[in-house]
Amino acid sequence: MSGRGSSSRITDEEINELVTKLQSLLPESRRRNIGRASASKLLKETCSYIKSLHRDVDDLSDRLSALMATMDANSPQADIIRSLLRS
Amino acid sequence: WRAPPGTRTLTPRFGPSKPMLAFRFLRALTLVHRTAANSSNAARSRRIQRAAFASMAYSAGPRRAWSRALLCRLHFHRARRRCAGRRRAAGVPRRPSTTGSPADGLRRLVPGGTGMDYCGLLEETADYIRCLSEQVKLMQSIVDSVGPGGR
């Protein structure tokens, strides 16, 4: 990370590059929503995307927890997990 | 060769290696299964959620501010676990308030984001999103392969 020595001033170009990179990480549907957006719109959409990813982790944790409750050591599901860990 | 003054090298990292992420998470799940068999669904779910953020952070390593922040939070939570109160799973960022600029909103969502400069925040956010979406994909594929057939 920079900061040492001569000017490490951030240029607008670099910020635009980062903003473009961020935009490319959004899923297609969200990208379409914002179109040729301002940075501010993009950041808001990014916030919304992160929140939805957090919700996904939440939901999937619930589902995994429920699945775990039904699993026993000798079930086929346990075999799948064991084989995934082995490979 | 020196980069022209003012340019920052944008590290083209694509996040943690997927197999490592999968391995860590599955190992954590196995541990949860073994030790939380008699817990409530909610308690187990919180542990799984914590395991998700932990494997993300460990896989990303200490090179990223967000992963360092998550690891700090997880260790801190573990040390405080016996103390009263917190039902919220560690490692899960708080629900942000709606004040401030969009960049501030992002700072509250990305671990370690507060106090980051704008450029750093954008870089960290990009990496965080990559890793977070990989984690979600991983969890989804586990649910799909292990879950009951058809829903």
Side-chain angles (χ1 to χ4, degrees), chain B residues 20-97:
Chain B
M20 276 318 294
L21 186 67
F23 180 77
R24 277 205 173 86
F25 184 59
L26 287 170
R27 195 172 51 182
L29 279 185
T30 316
L31 188 66
V32 173
H33 180 49
R34 230 185 291 143
T35 59
N38 296 320
S39 306
S40 65
N41 250 18
R44 207 166 32 229
S45 173
R46 273 197 302 276
R47 284 193 58 185
I48 293 176
Q49 194 177 38
R50 197 155 60 228
F53 282 101
S55 16
M56 265 176 68
Y58 277 113
S59 299
R63 276 181 294 158
R64 282 290 174 187
W66 70 261
S67 53
R68 286 196 299 271
L70 268 184
L71 291 172
C72 276
R73 209 182 289 174
L74 290 164
H75 288 301
F76 181 64
H77 176 86
R78 204 174 332 142
R80 285 193 54 194
R81 212 161 39 138
R82 296 300 173 200
C83 303
R86 305 214 140 184
R87 308 297 283 163
R88 185 174 58 83
V92 180
R94 272 183 203 282
R95 301 244 175 286
S97 64

Side-chain angles (χ1 to χ4, degrees), chain A residues 30-82:
Chain A
R30 287 181 182 265
R31 247 181 290 159
R32 253 182 285 132
N33 275 353
I34 56 181
R36 296 175 58 80
S38 63
S40 163
K41 252 196 184 171
L42 172 68
L43 291 185
K44 284 196 189 141
E45 193 62 37
T46 305
C47 283
S48 155
Y49 181 45
I50 293 181
K51 280 188 241 185
S52 90
L53 287 174
H54 286 162
R55 275 196 304 272
D56 287 343
V57 173
D58 218 349
D59 289 340
L60 290 166
S61 297
D62 283 342
R63 290 172 70 185
L64 284 172
S65 173
L67 281 175
M68 234 181 238
T70 66
M71 258 171 57
D72 67 70
N74 296 319
S75 66
Q77 290 93 343
D79 284 342
I80 294 176
I81 297 211
R82 270 194 287 267

